[in-house]
Amino acid sequence: MTLDFPTKVQIKEVGPRDGLQNERQFISTNKKVEWINMLSNSGMDYIEITSFVHPKWIPALSDAVDVAKQIERKEGVTYAALVPNETGLERALESEVDEVSIFISASETHNRKNINKSIDETLPIYDSIIKQANVAGKKVRGYVSTVFGCPYEGTVSVERVKKVVDKLLTLGVYEVSLGDTIGIANPKQMESVLNQLNFPTSTLALHLHDTRGMALANILVGLSKGITVFDSSNGGLGGCPYAKGASGNVATEDLLFMLQQMGIETNINFDEYIQASKYLQSLFSKQLRSHQLQIHS
Amino acid sequence: MTLDFPTKVQIKEVGPRDGLQNERQFISTNKKVEWINMLSNSGMDYIEITSFVHPKWIPALSDAVDVAKQIERKEGVTYAALVPNETGLERALESEVDEVSIFISASETHNRKNINKSIDETLPIYDSIIKQANVAGKKVRGYVSTVFGCPYEGTVSVERVKKVVDKLLTLGVYEVSLGDTIGIANPKQMESVLNQLNFPTSTLALHLHDTRGMALANILVGLSKGITVFDSSNGGLGGCPYAKGASGNVATEDLLFMLQQMGIETNINFDEYIQASKYLQSLFSKQLRSHQLQIHS
């Protein structure tokens, strides 16, 4: 039996948003900007630069407007940002991001804990945001978290995931990024979930945290199922400081290396990219979790 | 396309040998014994407890005879040890290990650097060892290192690997453990190599270092190809202190968790096993690389 893999994949860099948002250590605007510029120079063509969630909720990204204004905008790179509501969208549009993302949980409890609303209360808000964003010429991407498991509810039914994904696509997001928020998915489950989510693979992406080290194995399953878009974080930055062992997204450089070794094209220059990883590591006293960083330190 | 996985897998614990052998910090015999006893109690049924290589080459395991004598021998557990030559075999037999392993490289340069002999000079020695071990009622396992890449030669041809594996099986090893010594294998390569190594899958095992984080992804490919024996190391212990970023084997607890989540039986009790990991971690000041240890600390 031969596994089929795509010849080309797009990596979406979420380090500056998903990576930074839970960090207790505030990284200055200057440093964020320098870092993002290095990411831009690596060949990365999609970078989620910040979140326009209210600064009181995510102090780490309180300088969203400044970051968006100060970074170099490299030709061919999509600079995206997370928005939770209309106010966030307004600030994002003023900041001239290229694209916005919205987020919802497959788990009711997680949604409520995260944004203080039920799933059904959240969707109409996003309906409005998507319409407004589209009118302003911006595409909208949707994140669904807890697809493979929830820290509160445990198992999350695939039926529920299907409903939410379907709803988002109907409302007009161009892509849904399926999140393994707690890094609990296993490859057999990944295959099963992807089999059941009968949406065009071109509308799906994977966003996998690497808490238990299975992200690359799960991504391999995703590749074999025709998924060609994967979110990852520079240095593997991220994760919740309040949950034991919680770690960030799979490290971009680890994913990049695997893809390159497999002959799968990404347009990213590894040597340039790892410079960004090293720079990022220099901003933290803790060891970032990327394997490639250990080798290239 | 559905991936087929085995229903049952055997994990072979190599922490006390492959894990410890390159550690600069000497772990006392008492502590080694306590640790191995905990491993025995977890349901692990194969433990490579030490190496009878001359102590001057592997000082970390200079207490091989004492360890073998002092550990509890749990019913149903195979206690194995590495042997490089007849002297080593004699000591192993005196120490009443259940099984011995021998080792050779697929790469000529690596073999010479490792044991100061060519591959062709090494094989007759093992011919003799295997015969003697079998006469003494002991099975022999063969390790082939640098199967997927060599720190000196770079690429290693599959033809060369096939020759060495074939020779070992012909000489009478019951199983060949294919080693990714530098953690360089990628899943596409793993699939290709396993496709080309047309030996019965029951005679093959995988021994993958996790330097670049791809071990679990590569094991997944192995599982899909019908491999049912995997070597791993408690806490992910191991690796060469002289090679940048080199890390040990895939962590047993990370592999165990993935297998259990996939519904693949191992007979190992995770909760008992993680106690051994915690104990091992307590013996080192450095952070062991296992993901599960971070969660269960």
Side-chain angles (χ1 to χ4, degrees):
Chain A
M1 178 195 65
T2 312
L3 295 163
D4 285 314
F5 299 119
T7 50
K8 204 169 145 76
V9 146
Q10 184 187 31
I11 294 180
K12 293 191 169 177
E13 175 64 49
V14 298
R17 195 276 308 167
D18 197 26
L20 275 186
Q21 77 180 18
N22 288 319
E23 289 298 326
R24 279 184 256 213
Q25 181 185 338
F26 184 80
I27 305 297
S28 72
T29 307
N30 280 353
K31 295 191 164 106
K32 282 185 177 104
V33 167
E34 178 150 3
W35 176 40
I36 292 169
N37 290 344
M38 293 179 81
L39 293 170
S40 292
N41 285 332
S42 68
M44 184 62 74
D45 64 20
Y46 187 105
I47 306 173
E48 197 173 56
I49 61 170
T50 193
S51 168
F52 290 95
V53 169
H54 196 292
K56 83 178 179 205
W57 298 125
I58 305 187
L61 303 178
S62 54
D63 56 355
V65 172
D66 291 335
V67 168
K69 288 207 155 90
Q70 294 177 32
I71 56 168
E72 281 161 27
R73 299 295 183 105
K74 197 172 165 80
E75 185 76 33
V77 180
T78 299
Y79 296 94
L82 200 66
V83 301
N85 50 34
E86 293 196 25
T87 310
L89 177 62
E90 276 167 31
R91 291 169 69 220
L93 294 176
E94 279 163 18
S95 304
E96 294 182 304
V97 298
D98 299 316
E99 198 177 286
V100 297
S101 351
I102 50 137
F103 54 100
I104 198 167
S105 305
S107 145
E108 191 65 56
T109 313
H110 187 264
N111 205 69
R112 285 179 192 272
K113 294 237 181 207
N114 208 24
I115 60 179
N116 219 21
K117 293 180 182 57
S118 69
I119 291 172
D120 284 343
E121 288 165 342
T122 310
L123 288 162
I125 298 170
Y126 289 160
D127 186 11
S128 168
I129 287 179
I130 293 164
K131 287 184 164 80
Q132 290 180 58
N134 286 163
V135 156
K138 310 292 179 186
K139 292 200 298 183
V140 182
R141 185 183 204 231
Y143 282 111
V144 180
S145 47
T146 65
V147 169
F148 305 92
C150 170
Y152 309 105
E153 292 187 10
T155 318
V156 176
S157 78
V158 188
E159 271 317 302
R160 180 181 279 287
V161 176
K162 263 173 112 163
K163 266 189 175 175
V164 173
V165 174
D166 187 55
K167 194 73 206 190
L168 288 180
L169 289 169
T170 306
L171 291 181
V173 304
Y174 73 93
E175 181 175 278
V176 174
S177 185
L178 306 166
D180 185 7
T181 311
I182 55 173
I184 192 60
N186 72 76
K188 196 166 176 186
Q189 174 190 18
M190 175 61 68
E191 193 197 19
S192 170
V193 169
L194 292 179
N195 280 345
Q196 294 179 68
L197 293 182
N198 50 349
F199 302 97
T201 49
S202 58
T203 62
L204 300 177
L206 290 182
H207 178 105
L208 310 182
H209 283 236
D210 203 26
T211 317
R212 295 163 178 81
M214 290 184 279
L216 289 181
N218 288 324
I219 284 169
L220 190 70
V221 174
L223 287 165
S224 76
K225 295 288 171 191
I227 304 286
T228 58
V229 180
F230 301 93
D231 304 349
S232 58
S233 179
N234 192 218
L237 182 71
C240 176
Y242 308 109
K244 242 188 179 175
S247 72
N249 266 278
V250 63
T252 302
E253 52 268 40
D254 287 351
L255 171 58
L256 178 59
F257 186 83
M258 182 173 86
L259 294 171
Q260 290 190 336
Q261 294 295 103
M262 292 173 69
I264 296 172
E265 211 183 300
T266 63
N267 294 335
I268 300 163
N269 182 306
F270 185 90
D271 293 335
E272 290 287 347
Y273 188 84
I274 203 77
Q275 302 311 317
S277 315
K278 288 181 185 181
Y279 177 72
L280 183 68
Q281 176 65 81
S282 74
L283 305 180
F284 290 93
S285 50
K286 68 179 179 181
Q287 179 80 62
L288 296 178
R289 291 194 69 156
S290 138
H291 291 80
Q292 291 293 336
L293 249 183
Q294 320 305 319
I295 297 168
H296 291 269
S297 64
Chain B
M1 178 196 67
T2 313
L3 296 162
D4 285 315
F5 299 118
T7 49
K8 204 167 143 74
V9 146
Q10 184 186 32
I11 294 179
K12 292 190 170 177
E13 175 64 50
V14 299
R17 196 275 307 168
D18 197 26
L20 274 186
Q21 78 180 18
N22 289 319
E23 289 297 326
R24 279 184 254 212
Q25 181 184 336
F26 184 80
I27 305 297
S28 71
T29 308
N30 281 353
K31 293 191 164 109
K32 281 185 178 105
V33 167
E34 177 150 1
W35 175 41
I36 292 169
N37 289 345
M38 292 180 82
L39 293 170
S40 292
N41 284 333
S42 69
M44 184 64 73
D45 64 20
Y46 188 105
I47 306 172
E48 197 173 55
I49 61 170
T50 193
S51 168
F52 290 95
V53 169
H54 197 292
K56 82 176 179 207
W57 298 125
I58 305 185
L61 304 178
S62 55
D63 55 357
V65 172
D66 291 334
V67 168
K69 286 209 155 92
Q70 294 177 31
I71 55 167
E72 281 162 25
R73 301 294 184 105
K74 198 172 165 80
E75 186 75 33
V77 180
T78 298
Y79 297 94
L82 201 65
V83 299
N85 50 35
E86 294 197 25
T87 310
L89 177 63
E90 275 166 32
R91 291 170 69 220
L93 294 177
E94 279 163 19
S95 305
E96 296 181 301
V97 299
D98 300 316
E99 197 176 289
V100 296
S101 349
I102 50 137
F103 54 99
I104 199 166
S105 305
S107 145
E108 190 65 55
T109 313
H110 187 265
N111 204 69
R112 284 178 191 274
K113 295 236 179 208
N114 208 25
I115 58 179
N116 218 22
K117 294 179 181 57
S118 70
I119 291 171
D120 285 343
E121 287 165 341
T122 310
L123 289 162
I125 298 170
Y126 289 159
D127 185 11
S128 169
I129 288 180
I130 293 164
K131 286 184 164 81
Q132 290 180 60
N134 287 163
V135 157
K138 309 292 178 187
K139 291 200 299 183
V140 182
R141 187 181 202 230
Y143 282 110
V144 178
S145 47
T146 66
V147 168
F148 304 93
C150 170
Y152 309 105
E153 293 187 10
T155 317
V156 176
S157 78
V158 189
E159 271 316 301
R160 180 181 280 286
V161 175
K162 262 173 110 163
K163 267 188 173 175
V164 173
V165 174
D166 187 56
K167 193 73 204 188
L168 289 180
L169 289 169
T170 307
L171 291 181
V173 303
Y174 74 93
E175 183 175 277
V176 173
S177 185
L178 306 167
D180 186 8
T181 310
I182 55 173
I184 192 62
N186 71 78
K188 196 169 178 185
Q189 175 191 16
M190 175 60 67
E191 194 197 19
S192 171
V193 169
L194 292 179
N195 280 344
Q196 295 178 68
L197 293 183
N198 50 350
F199 302 98
T201 49
S202 59
T203 62
L204 300 177
L206 290 181
H207 177 106
L208 309 182
H209 283 238
D210 203 25
T211 317
R212 295 163 178 83
M214 291 183 279
L216 289 182
N218 289 323
I219 285 170
L220 191 70
V221 175
L223 286 164
S224 76
K225 295 288 172 190
I227 304 287
T228 58
V229 180
F230 302 92
D231 302 349
S232 57
S233 180
N234 193 216
L237 182 71
C240 177
Y242 309 109
K244 242 189 180 172
S247 72
N249 267 277
V250 64
T252 303
E253 53 267 38
D254 287 351
L255 170 59
L256 179 57
F257 185 83
M258 182 174 86
L259 294 171
Q260 290 190 335
Q261 294 294 103
M262 292 173 70
I264 295 173
E265 210 182 300
T266 62
N267 293 335
I268 299 163
N269 182 306
F270 185 91
D271 293 335
E272 291 288 347
Y273 188 83
I274 203 78
Q275 301 312 316
S277 315
K278 289 181 184 180
Y279 177 72
L280 183 67
Q281 175 65 83
S282 75
L283 305 180
F284 290 92
S285 50
K286 67 178 179 180
Q287 179 79 63
L288 295 178
R289 293 193 69 155
S290 138
H291 292 81
Q292 291 292 336
L293 249 183
Q294 320 303 322
I295 297 168
H296 291 270
S297 64

